[in-house]
Amino acid sequence: MISSETFHVVTTELVVGAYSVSGFCFTLCFLIHFGLLKRTEWMSIFDNVAHFTLVFGLAATPFAILSGVSSSPGEGLSSPLLVNKMFLSMAGAGFAIGTALSRWRLGKGLWDSVTATRIHCATGLAACGSMLLTASVGGTFTRGESLLDVFQLPYEQVLLFPFAISIIALILGIAMVAIGMKRLNTPSSIH
């Protein structure tokens, strides 16, 4: 039987590797779509790899989160770093779910619209960036240093909202999910 710490390291490396490849491929898709990279025959490859690795990283994320919580010293989320890790990983998972669902729903026609391409690449890169920031916070928590220390990010500060704003955000989130689920059943305007 392996320890939760070892399992967390393995799953974290899977998540970081998958999201890194996905972010790289989303960047290349963006560059091809806007003519900055002239190899248009590669678009299909980068599109498929970006979404496959995004979904793979998304599938590994819950294992990384649960093993991280169980392997952390103390009573669960006792450190501001752990709270920020949880926030960033959940934000990254939300961006990844939105990106994967939009690609699944709209298919390759997603790349035919300039607006859809910009939004899609932005959410894909936001998912990747959130997960890589999560890994950076993890490095700060375990080793006291990370690759992003150059930017002096405020990992020790936790963004907390008053209760009323949290309730409003929860209601808005539920409403947006309900509207999104309703629109999944209607035909797309992007072909």
Side-chain angles (χ1 to χ4, degrees), residues 69-94:
V69 170
S70 67
S71 66
S72 67
E75 294 279 330
L77 298 174
S78 57
S79 165
L81 293 172
L82 294 178
V83 173
N84 282 329
K85 269 185 76 167
M86 182 66 75
F87 170 73
L88 286 169
S89 63
M90 291 294 157

PDB file of all heavy atoms in Angstrom, residues 69-94:
ATOM      1  N   VAL A  69      -5.386  16.680   0.363  1.00  0.00           N
ATOM      2  CA  VAL A  69      -6.050  17.011   1.623  1.00  0.00           C
ATOM      3  C   VAL A  69      -5.742  15.960   2.688  1.00  0.00           C
ATOM      4  O   VAL A  69      -5.476  16.284   3.845  1.00  0.00           O
ATOM      5  CB  VAL A  69      -7.580  17.157   1.408  1.00  0.00           C
ATOM      6  CG1 VAL A  69      -8.315  17.251   2.726  1.00  0.00           C
ATOM      7  CG2 VAL A  69      -7.869  18.397   0.566  1.00  0.00           C
ATOM      8  N   SER A  70      -5.740  14.681   2.294  1.00  0.00           N
ATOM      9  CA  SER A  70      -5.484  13.634   3.286  1.00  0.00           C
ATOM     10  C   SER A  70      -4.026  13.561   3.709  1.00  0.00           C
ATOM     11  O   SER A  70      -3.720  13.081   4.796  1.00  0.00           O
ATOM     12  CB  SER A  70      -5.938  12.266   2.746  1.00  0.00           C
ATOM     13  OG  SER A  70      -5.126  11.876   1.671  1.00  0.00           O
ATOM     14  N   SER A  71      -3.117  14.053   2.865  1.00  0.00           N
ATOM     15  CA  SER A  71      -1.699  13.989   3.236  1.00  0.00           C
ATOM     16  C   SER A  71      -1.187  15.266   3.885  1.00  0.00           C
ATOM     17  O   SER A  71      -0.048  15.307   4.336  1.00  0.00           O
ATOM     18  CB  SER A  71      -0.855  13.677   2.001  1.00  0.00           C
ATOM     19  OG  SER A  71      -0.903  14.740   1.080  1.00  0.00           O
ATOM     20  N   SER A  72      -2.011  16.307   3.950  1.00  0.00           N
ATOM     21  CA  SER A  72      -1.533  17.560   4.536  1.00  0.00           C
ATOM     22  C   SER A  72      -1.464  17.429   6.047  1.00  0.00           C
ATOM     23  O   SER A  72      -2.310  16.804   6.671  1.00  0.00           O
ATOM     24  CB  SER A  72      -2.451  18.716   4.151  1.00  0.00           C
ATOM     25  OG  SER A  72      -3.715  18.568   4.744  1.00  0.00           O
ATOM     26  N   PRO A  73      -0.432  18.030   6.623  1.00  0.00           N
ATOM     27  CA  PRO A  73      -0.309  17.977   8.080  1.00  0.00           C
ATOM     28  C   PRO A  73      -1.361  18.849   8.749  1.00  0.00           C
ATOM     29  O   PRO A  73      -1.794  19.857   8.203  1.00  0.00           O
ATOM     30  CB  PRO A  73       1.095  18.527   8.340  1.00  0.00           C
ATOM     31  CG  PRO A  73       1.399  19.375   7.157  1.00  0.00           C
ATOM     32  CD  PRO A  73       0.645  18.770   6.000  1.00  0.00           C
ATOM     33  N   GLY A  74      -1.809  18.449   9.892  1.00  0.00           N
ATOM     34  CA  GLY A  74      -2.781  19.240  10.638  1.00  0.00           C
ATOM     35  C   GLY A  74      -4.200  18.885  10.269  1.00  0.00           C
ATOM     36  O   GLY A  74      -4.496  17.848   9.706  1.00  0.00           O
ATOM     37  N   GLU A  75      -5.088  19.783  10.577  1.00  0.00           N
ATOM     38  CA  GLU A  75      -6.526  19.584  10.383  1.00  0.00           C
ATOM     39  C   GLU A  75      -6.971  20.103   9.022  1.00  0.00           C
ATOM     40  O   GLU A  75      -7.510  21.192   8.904  1.00  0.00           O
ATOM     41  CB  GLU A  75      -7.304  20.323  11.481  1.00  0.00           C
ATOM     42  CG  GLU A  75      -7.097  19.763  12.861  1.00  0.00           C
ATOM     43  CD  GLU A  75      -7.977  18.552  13.091  1.00  0.00           C
ATOM     44  OE1 GLU A  75      -9.070  18.472  12.502  1.00  0.00           O
ATOM     45  OE2 GLU A  75      -7.561  17.673  13.849  1.00  0.00           O
ATOM     46  N   GLY A  76      -6.744  19.361   7.963  1.00  0.00           N
ATOM     47  CA  GLY A  76      -7.250  19.730   6.642  1.00  0.00           C
ATOM     48  C   GLY A  76      -6.708  21.049   6.144  1.00  0.00           C
ATOM     49  O   GLY A  76      -5.511  21.218   5.991  1.00  0.00           O
ATOM     50  N   LEU A  77      -7.575  22.016   5.895  1.00  0.00           N
ATOM     51  CA  LEU A  77      -7.187  23.300   5.313  1.00  0.00           C
ATOM     52  C   LEU A  77      -6.813  24.297   6.404  1.00  0.00           C
ATOM     53  O   LEU A  77      -7.472  25.305   6.611  1.00  0.00           O
ATOM     54  CB  LEU A  77      -8.319  23.844   4.452  1.00  0.00           C
ATOM     55  CG  LEU A  77      -8.714  22.976   3.258  1.00  0.00           C
ATOM     56  CD1 LEU A  77      -9.948  23.545   2.569  1.00  0.00           C
ATOM     57  CD2 LEU A  77      -7.573  22.840   2.286  1.00  0.00           C
ATOM     58  N   SER A  78      -5.716  24.003   7.092  1.00  0.00           N
ATOM     59  CA  SER A  78      -5.301  24.838   8.215  1.00  0.00           C
ATOM     60  C   SER A  78      -4.329  25.936   7.805  1.00  0.00           C
ATOM     61  O   SER A  78      -3.997  26.792   8.606  1.00  0.00           O
ATOM     62  CB  SER A  78      -4.664  23.963   9.301  1.00  0.00           C
ATOM     63  OG  SER A  78      -3.564  23.250   8.742  1.00  0.00           O
ATOM     64  N   SER A  79      -3.861  25.929   6.582  1.00  0.00           N
ATOM     65  CA  SER A  79      -2.879  26.901   6.122  1.00  0.00           C
ATOM     66  C   SER A  79      -3.471  27.739   4.989  1.00  0.00           C
ATOM     67  O   SER A  79      -4.224  27.220   4.163  1.00  0.00           O
ATOM     68  CB  SER A  79      -1.641  26.157   5.619  1.00  0.00           C
ATOM     69  OG  SER A  79      -0.816  27.002   4.856  1.00  0.00           O
ATOM     70  N   PRO A  80      -3.113  29.025   4.926  1.00  0.00           N
ATOM     71  CA  PRO A  80      -3.574  29.839   3.799  1.00  0.00           C
ATOM     72  C   PRO A  80      -3.099  29.281   2.455  1.00  0.00           C
ATOM     73  O   PRO A  80      -3.789  29.402   1.452  1.00  0.00           O
ATOM     74  CB  PRO A  80      -2.968  31.213   4.049  1.00  0.00           C
ATOM     75  CG  PRO A  80      -2.473  31.222   5.422  1.00  0.00           C
ATOM     76  CD  PRO A  80      -2.355  29.815   5.884  1.00  0.00           C
ATOM     77  N   LEU A  81      -1.932  28.657   2.446  1.00  0.00           N
ATOM     78  CA  LEU A  81      -1.431  28.062   1.214  1.00  0.00           C
ATOM     79  C   LEU A  81      -2.349  26.939   0.735  1.00  0.00           C
ATOM     80  O   LEU A  81      -2.629  26.810  -0.455  1.00  0.00           O
ATOM     81  CB  LEU A  81      -0.012  27.531   1.420  1.00  0.00           C
ATOM     82  CG  LEU A  81       1.067  28.572   1.674  1.00  0.00           C
ATOM     83  CD1 LEU A  81       2.381  27.919   2.045  1.00  0.00           C
ATOM     84  CD2 LEU A  81       1.239  29.460   0.471  1.00  0.00           C
ATOM     85  N   LEU A  82      -2.835  26.124   1.666  1.00  0.00           N
ATOM     86  CA  LEU A  82      -3.724  25.024   1.287  1.00  0.00           C
ATOM     87  C   LEU A  82      -5.077  25.541   0.804  1.00  0.00           C
ATOM     88  O   LEU A  82      -5.672  24.975  -0.114  1.00  0.00           O
ATOM     89  CB  LEU A  82      -3.901  24.065   2.463  1.00  0.00           C
ATOM     90  CG  LEU A  82      -2.649  23.303   2.885  1.00  0.00           C
ATOM     91  CD1 LEU A  82      -2.938  22.426   4.091  1.00  0.00           C
ATOM     92  CD2 LEU A  82      -2.120  22.474   1.734  1.00  0.00           C
ATOM     93  N   VAL A  83      -5.551  26.611   1.418  1.00  0.00           N
ATOM     94  CA  VAL A  83      -6.813  27.207   0.970  1.00  0.00           C
ATOM     95  C   VAL A  83      -6.651  27.745  -0.452  1.00  0.00           C
ATOM     96  O   VAL A  83      -7.516  27.533  -1.313  1.00  0.00           O
ATOM     97  CB  VAL A  83      -7.277  28.319   1.935  1.00  0.00           C
ATOM     98  CG1 VAL A  83      -8.483  29.057   1.393  1.00  0.00           C
ATOM     99  CG2 VAL A  83      -7.580  27.739   3.304  1.00  0.00           C
ATOM    100  N   ASN A  84      -5.537  28.416  -0.721  1.00  0.00           N
ATOM    101  CA  ASN A  84      -5.289  28.928  -2.067  1.00  0.00           C
ATOM    102  C   ASN A  84      -5.112  27.792  -3.071  1.00  0.00           C
ATOM    103  O   ASN A  84      -5.550  27.899  -4.215  1.00  0.00           O
ATOM    104  CB  ASN A  84      -4.068  29.846  -2.075  1.00  0.00           C
ATOM    105  CG  ASN A  84      -4.393  31.218  -1.532  1.00  0.00           C
ATOM    106  OD1 ASN A  84      -5.510  31.691  -1.673  1.00  0.00           O
ATOM    107  ND2 ASN A  84      -3.431  31.847  -0.898  1.00  0.00           N
ATOM    108  N   LYS A  85      -4.482  26.691  -2.644  1.00  0.00           N
ATOM    109  CA  LYS A  85      -4.359  25.532  -3.528  1.00  0.00           C
ATOM    110  C   LYS A  85      -5.735  24.996  -3.889  1.00  0.00           C
ATOM    111  O   LYS A  85      -6.002  24.669  -5.046  1.00  0.00           O
ATOM    112  CB  LYS A  85      -3.547  24.421  -2.849  1.00  0.00           C
ATOM    113  CG  LYS A  85      -2.086  24.470  -3.119  1.00  0.00           C
ATOM    114  CD  LYS A  85      -1.378  23.284  -2.517  1.00  0.00           C
ATOM    115  CE  LYS A  85      -1.632  22.065  -3.368  1.00  0.00           C
ATOM    116  NZ  LYS A  85      -0.761  20.942  -3.056  1.00  0.00           N
ATOM    117  N   MET A  86      -6.598  24.886  -2.902  1.00  0.00           N
ATOM    118  CA  MET A  86      -7.944  24.377  -3.155  1.00  0.00           C
ATOM    119  C   MET A  86      -8.711  25.323  -4.082  1.00  0.00           C
ATOM    120  O   MET A  86      -9.355  24.885  -5.034  1.00  0.00           O
ATOM    121  CB  MET A  86      -8.690  24.192  -1.834  1.00  0.00           C
ATOM    122  CG  MET A  86     -10.076  23.621  -1.996  1.00  0.00           C
ATOM    123  SD  MET A  86     -10.093  21.943  -2.608  1.00  0.00           S
ATOM    124  CE  MET A  86      -9.608  21.055  -1.171  1.00  0.00           C
ATOM    125  N   PHE A  87      -8.612  26.623  -3.818  1.00  0.00           N
ATOM    126  CA  PHE A  87      -9.301  27.614  -4.656  1.00  0.00           C
ATOM    127  C   PHE A  87      -8.809  27.544  -6.105  1.00  0.00           C
ATOM    128  O   PHE A  87      -9.600  27.495  -7.038  1.00  0.00           O
ATOM    129  CB  PHE A  87      -9.089  29.020  -4.079  1.00  0.00           C
ATOM    130  CG  PHE A  87      -9.563  30.115  -4.992  1.00  0.00           C
ATOM    131  CD1 PHE A  87     -10.918  30.349  -5.165  1.00  0.00           C
ATOM    132  CD2 PHE A  87      -8.657  30.898  -5.683  1.00  0.00           C
ATOM    133  CE1 PHE A  87     -11.359  31.355  -6.013  1.00  0.00           C
ATOM    134  CE2 PHE A  87      -9.091  31.900  -6.539  1.00  0.00           C
ATOM    135  CZ  PHE A  87     -10.438  32.122  -6.699  1.00  0.00           C
ATOM    136  N   LEU A  88      -7.499  27.539  -6.301  1.00  0.00           N
ATOM    137  CA  LEU A  88      -6.945  27.527  -7.651  1.00  0.00           C
ATOM    138  C   LEU A  88      -7.261  26.226  -8.388  1.00  0.00           C
ATOM    139  O   LEU A  88      -7.557  26.243  -9.581  1.00  0.00           O
ATOM    140  CB  LEU A  88      -5.432  27.748  -7.596  1.00  0.00           C
ATOM    141  CG  LEU A  88      -4.984  29.167  -7.277  1.00  0.00           C
ATOM    142  CD1 LEU A  88      -3.496  29.212  -6.975  1.00  0.00           C
ATOM    143  CD2 LEU A  88      -5.317  30.092  -8.436  1.00  0.00           C
ATOM    144  N   SER A  89      -7.194  25.102  -7.679  1.00  0.00           N
ATOM    145  CA  SER A  89      -7.477  23.830  -8.355  1.00  0.00           C
ATOM    146  C   SER A  89      -8.951  23.729  -8.729  1.00  0.00           C
ATOM    147  O   SER A  89      -9.292  23.208  -9.801  1.00  0.00           O
ATOM    148  CB  SER A  89      -7.044  22.641  -7.496  1.00  0.00           C
ATOM    149  OG  SER A  89      -7.761  22.587  -6.291  1.00  0.00           O
ATOM    150  N   MET A  90      -9.835  24.229  -7.883  1.00  0.00           N
ATOM    151  CA  MET A  90     -11.261  24.216  -8.233  1.00  0.00           C
ATOM    152  C   MET A  90     -11.556  25.184  -9.389  1.00  0.00           C
ATOM    153  O   MET A  90     -12.354  24.871 -10.273  1.00  0.00           O
ATOM    154  CB  MET A  90     -12.118  24.595  -7.020  1.00  0.00           C
ATOM    155  CG  MET A  90     -12.120  23.564  -5.940  1.00  0.00           C
ATOM    156  SD  MET A  90     -12.914  22.078  -6.519  1.00  0.00           S
ATOM    157  CE  MET A  90     -12.224  20.891  -5.431  1.00  0.00           C
ATOM    158  N   ALA A  91     -10.902  26.338  -9.405  1.00  0.00           N
ATOM    159  CA  ALA A  91     -11.074  27.275 -10.515  1.00  0.00           C
ATOM    160  C   ALA A  91     -10.557  26.650 -11.808  1.00  0.00           C
ATOM    161  O   ALA A  91     -11.212  26.738 -12.860  1.00  0.00           O
ATOM    162  CB  ALA A  91     -10.347  28.586 -10.233  1.00  0.00           C
ATOM    163  N   GLY A  92      -9.402  26.013 -11.739  1.00  0.00           N
ATOM    164  CA  GLY A  92      -8.848  25.344 -12.915  1.00  0.00           C
ATOM    165  C   GLY A  92      -9.749  24.230 -13.411  1.00  0.00           C
ATOM    166  O   GLY A  92      -9.948  24.064 -14.621  1.00  0.00           O
ATOM    167  N   ALA A  93     -10.315  23.460 -12.490  1.00  0.00           N
ATOM    168  CA  ALA A  93     -11.239  22.395 -12.878  1.00  0.00           C
ATOM    169  C   ALA A  93     -12.486  22.976 -13.535  1.00  0.00           C
ATOM    170  O   ALA A  93     -12.987  22.430 -14.526  1.00  0.00           O
ATOM    171  CB  ALA A  93     -11.610  21.550 -11.661  1.00  0.00           C
ATOM    172  N   GLY A  94     -12.994  24.084 -13.013  1.00  0.00           N
ATOM    173  CA  GLY A  94     -14.162  24.728 -13.612  1.00  0.00           C
ATOM    174  C   GLY A  94     -13.876  25.219 -15.021  1.00  0.00           C
ATOM    175  O   GLY A  94     -14.677  25.002 -15.943  1.00  0.00           O
TER     176      GLY A  94
END
